[in-house]
Amino acid sequence: ELVAQYYPVEDTMLYGSVSRGYKSGGVLVGNFPGEYDPETIIAYEIGAKSQLGGRYQLNAAAFYYDYEDLQLFLLEAFGARIDNASNADIRGAEIELLAEPVDGLLLNAQLTWLDAELDGFVTIDDIFPQLGPQDLSGNRPNRAPESSFSIGVQYAFSLGEYGTLTPRLDYYWQDDTYLRPQNLDRDRQDAYHRTNAWDSLDGRWSMQAFVDNIEDDDIVQNLALGSGSLGYPNNVTLYPPRMYGLRMSWSY
């Protein structure tokens, strides 16, 4: 890894980096035989980190990931396997803001953009085997939304000898994403948003009440193909539904 840093003014750092990563290949035995090659990546990143007025921090980065023999984990009708795409290119940018405009109030926001595509990935789709090997070059890799956004806010109320009461709210939005490299309509998880909230009372006794996935939406986490005799239905795993609870702890 090679990293360079430069401070043009106080509290502002510019940086650039080049790094190389490696993931070993292997052989899947038993019910799902198959051999897959090692994966390598060369990652380039440039960015800036700035502290503004002591209460604000702004970070920005642009990156390019060049994969060779990208390993893809596939859940298909006849089991799970790992296959290689010849190459994959991922370009993106990210901007993050952290702020404490007044004492006790914390804000954070992050925006990410991705341009990702496979190159040289040829495979057979279990749903349409009659089409033979298909070149999926230009398709998006699994779980690579074009954009995503998150924001959080919390405020700490001092209760004197009773500790600190801190309510917090987090919101996350994600663009459409695909769960199979074929990028069919049936492979797509539509854009969604999730909101989580919690409220904590910290002192010698600590208590936290929380609610996750306030919207109680059904969001697909993983997708696999079902039996061909049933028409290859989608078998999906969902993220947890709305969950709420209470946690308590005591320090001594």
Side-chain angles (χ1 to χ4, degrees):
E1 181 179 21
L2 179 64
V3 179
Q5 299 178 347
Y6 175 62
Y7 293 83
V9 296
E10 187 179 3
D11 296 331
T12 297
M13 180 188 73
L14 306 179
Y15 70 91
S17 68
V18 180
S19 58
R20 186 179 187 275
Y22 172 85
K23 186 187 295 183
S24 63
V27 177
L28 297 175
V29 297
N31 293 331
F32 314 117
E35 181 177 338
Y36 55 97
D37 296 327
E39 170 189 293
T40 58
I41 177 178
I42 300 179
Y44 306 87
E45 182 173 338
I46 58 173
K49 299 180 182 292
S50 299
Q51 193 78 28
L52 309 173
R55 288 187 176 271
Y56 301 89
Q57 181 174 337
L58 182 64
N59 304 324
F63 52 87
Y64 172 63
Y65 298 156
D66 183 11
Y67 285 93
E68 184 175 347
D69 293 322
L70 174 69
Q71 294 175 5
L72 297 172
F73 181 73
L74 307 174
L75 290 170
E76 299 180 328
F78 301 104
R81 66 185 177 90
I82 297 176
D83 206 347
N84 294 96
S86 296
N87 297 285
D89 296 321
I90 299 179
R91 304 170 182 83
E94 183 176 87
I95 186 166
E96 178 185 31
L97 174 65
L98 306 172
E100 186 182 10
V102 296
D103 291 344
L105 177 62
L106 295 179
L107 305 170
N108 64 275
Q110 181 172 306
L111 177 64
T112 302
W113 170 79
L114 284 179
D115 177 20
E117 64 178 36
L118 300 171
D119 182 14
F121 180 45
V122 178
T123 188
I124 294 177
D125 188 352
D126 287 349
I127 302 175
F128 304 108
Q130 68 275 17
L131 298 179
Q134 300 179 59
D135 186 353
L136 303 184
S137 297
N139 285 11
R140 295 186 72 86
N142 296 353
R143 298 181 184 84
E146 186 173 1
S147 55
S148 60
F149 172 75
S150 66
I151 187 169
V153 56
Q154 73 177 56
Y155 189 82
F157 297 91
S158 176
L159 302 180
E161 62 179 301
Y162 298 103
T164 303
L165 180 66
T166 308
R168 179 175 177 86
L169 190 68
D170 288 296
Y171 175 85
Y172 174 78
W173 176 87
Q174 179 180 291
D175 205 350
D176 294 356
T177 189
Y178 290 99
L179 298 171
R180 292 203 315 145
Q182 284 79 9
N183 287 190
L184 304 178
D185 285 344
R186 59 178 288 166
D187 305 329
R188 184 176 63 242
Q189 166 60 58
D190 293 335
Y192 69 88
H193 57 87
R194 289 180 58 130
T195 308
N196 301 327
W198 54 260
D199 196 356
S200 64
L201 177 62
D202 299 314
R204 188 163 189 178
W205 278 97
S206 295
M207 181 172 62
Q208 184 183 79
F210 66 92
V211 184
D212 293 339
N213 189 9
I214 294 175
E215 298 88 342
D216 198 25
D217 288 338
D218 293 332
I219 303 167
V220 178
Q221 182 179 24
N222 287 308
L223 182 153
L225 297 181
S227 169
S229 62
L230 299 176
Y232 299 110
N234 283 352
N235 292 334
V236 301
T237 303
L238 301 178
Y239 282 100
R242 181 188 300 134
M243 299 180 63
Y244 54 88
L246 184 67
R247 303 185 183 99
M248 297 185 67
S249 62
W250 178 61
S251 300
Y252 59 92

